[in-house]
Amino acid sequence: VTIPEGVTKIGEAAFAVCKNLVSVHIPESVDSIRQYAFSGCNSLTTINIPNNVTIITQWTFDFCKSLVSITLPDSVTEIDKGAFRECTSLTSIDLSQNLKKIGSHAFNSCKELKTINIPDSVTDIGESAFEESGLTSIVFSNGMKSLRGSICYKCKNLTSIILPQKLTSIGVAAFLECENLAAIDIPKTVKKIADNAFKGCKKLTSVTIPAKVNTVGFKAFSECEEMTTVILACDNATFGSKAFYSDNIKSVVNLSQKPLEINYTPQKKNPTAVDLLMNPDDSTFSQKITEATLHVLPGTKQLYKEAEGWKRFAEIVEDAAEL
């Protein structure tokens, strides 16, 4: 299809579910493409976006399963909700250098999208924007101060992320079950790590919680099967139940002068479902901390030996300042 010069708008659902549509040429006169315009065009492989378009509206290209690549001109400032959802063949997208916002579910289930370059102009990315996509790495814009919930939920190929330098919060389930994520450097500006943020990141081996963090949520780092070391640089944080519930943690380094409150609920060796119902395990660390070493600052060992939860560690050593 070639849309004639002089057309200024493509209406809502104008070409939706045109299953045999392969190629579209849009003239420069077009400045608006409405929602669902090409939704469900399963065979669409080639389309251009004119230089006057400012918003890729919601669901514009969702379920365009044959679309392989697309370039967004620098006129585009926003990608709305679900714009490229289920574009399962999309391998490349060139984003506008003036882009400010990426909406929720924008690239949800783009299974072949391995990398994306997010310009520093972006200040907001919606929840589930890259959920279950094929991303292997992502560098977030330094213009962002928060990561919304499920932003990279179940990105099972994701191995590397670089977080914004001025980030203050990481949302619920932001990186839940990113099972190949091997390392994470949490910026010193972060104050909140929400529930399930890194749950099930099986390849994570260690994590450092920065000094300004005041909340680590429920199961934030639980089921991180290869995690062996946790470093707590925070001295005024609250921890949700099962925040670090991973059986292979062998070393916890605590840089706080006073013990922070943690939970420890003793359990039977092989508790039944009834046991857990009667005595729920809301421990901060797993039951295996009785086999782990706690490293603390000089002069604080006795405080930790008397503190509920912390005293359960197999050994408490005053060498945290040296680690």
Side-chain angles (χ1 to χ4, degrees):
V1 169
T2 297
I3 297 171
E5 188 69 40
V7 172
T8 59
K9 301 186 188 307
I10 298 175
E12 182 175 331
F15 295 92
V17 202
C18 289
K19 294 186 177 181
N20 296 319
L21 184 63
V22 174
S23 175
V24 178
H25 176 75
I26 304 174
E28 286 298 313
S29 56
V30 168
D31 60 14
S32 175
I33 303 173
R34 301 302 299 153
Q35 61 189 21
Y36 298 101
F38 298 95
S39 176
C41 293
N42 292 347
S43 301
L44 183 66
T45 60
T46 305
I47 192 166
N48 66 293
I49 306 297
N51 287 311
N52 292 317
V53 171
T54 58
I55 300 175
I56 307 300
T57 53
Q58 60 185 0
W59 319 114
T60 300
F61 296 103
D62 76 323
F63 287 89
C64 289
K65 291 180 176 289
S66 297
L67 189 64
V68 174
S69 66
I70 193 165
T71 296
L72 304 185
D74 286 343
S75 58
V76 173
T77 59
E78 180 178 348
I79 299 172
D80 208 347
K81 178 170 59 177
F84 296 95
R85 184 185 62 153
E86 293 280 353
C87 289
T88 52
S89 297
L90 187 68
T91 60
S92 172
I93 182 164
D94 291 331
L95 298 180
S96 159
Q97 292 304 301
N98 295 311
L99 189 65
K100 291 182 172 62
K101 180 180 179 180
I102 298 174
S104 62
H105 299 277
F107 296 96
N108 190 324
S109 299
C110 291
K111 301 292 188 183
E112 294 301 317
L113 188 64
K114 305 301 183 186
T115 61
I116 189 166
N117 294 319
I118 301 172
D120 278 343
S121 56
V122 172
T123 58
D124 186 22
I125 299 179
E127 63 182 21
S128 301
F130 302 102
E131 178 177 326
E132 295 192 78
S133 72
L135 287 176
T136 59
S137 64
I138 186 168
V139 178
F140 288 99
S141 161
N142 280 323
M144 299 176 62
K145 292 189 177 180
S146 65
L147 294 183
R148 295 183 186 269
S150 301
I151 193 166
C152 288
Y153 171 60
K154 282 191 175 180
C155 289
K156 293 185 180 294
N157 297 323
L158 191 64
T159 60
S160 171
I161 60 176
I162 297 179
L163 299 177
Q165 293 176 3
K166 296 181 180 179
L167 189 68
T168 60
S169 65
I170 300 173
V172 173
F175 299 96
L176 174 66
E177 294 185 23
C178 292
E179 56 187 34
N180 282 299
L181 183 64
I184 177 70
D185 184 6
I186 300 172
K188 294 179 180 179
T189 50
V190 168
K191 296 180 180 179
K192 180 178 180 180
I193 302 170
D195 298 352
N196 297 304
F198 295 92
K199 178 187 174 185
C201 291
K202 296 179 180 180
K203 294 293 180 66
L204 277 181
T205 58
S206 66
V207 65
T208 297
I209 307 300
K212 290 185 179 180
V213 170
N214 55 42
T215 304
V216 179
F218 170 73
K219 291 188 175 182
F221 294 92
S222 74
E223 299 174 36
C224 296
E225 294 177 358
E226 296 188 19
M227 184 172 289
T228 59
T229 304
V230 174
I231 300 174
L232 301 174
C234 49
D235 59 9
N236 191 31
T238 59
F239 303 111
S241 62
K242 298 189 175 181
F244 301 98
Y245 207 95
S246 298
D247 283 346
N248 289 320
I249 292 175
K250 303 301 181 187
S251 175
V252 175
V253 180
N254 199 324
L255 300 176
S256 176
Q257 289 285 350
K258 60 180 181 180
L260 299 171
E261 183 177 342
I262 63 170
N263 293 324
Y264 180 80
T265 309
Q267 299 289 319
K268 294 180 180 179
K269 186 172 184 180
N270 295 300
T272 65
V274 173
D275 291 331
L276 291 172
L277 182 64
M278 298 299 292
N279 184 32
D281 188 357
D282 64 351
S283 303
T284 304
F285 295 90
S286 86
Q287 298 294 307
K288 295 283 189 177
I289 65 165
T290 56
E291 302 171 14
T293 299
L294 175 62
H295 304 270
V296 299
L297 294 173
T300 64
K301 179 176 179 178
Q302 192 59 36
L303 291 174
Y304 283 93
K305 286 182 70 173
E306 295 172 357
E308 189 57 46
W310 298 111
K311 67 183 182 183
R312 306 285 180 170
F313 279 79
E315 185 179 12
I316 301 177
V317 184
E318 290 186 333
D319 62 354
E322 301 168 14
L323 300 177

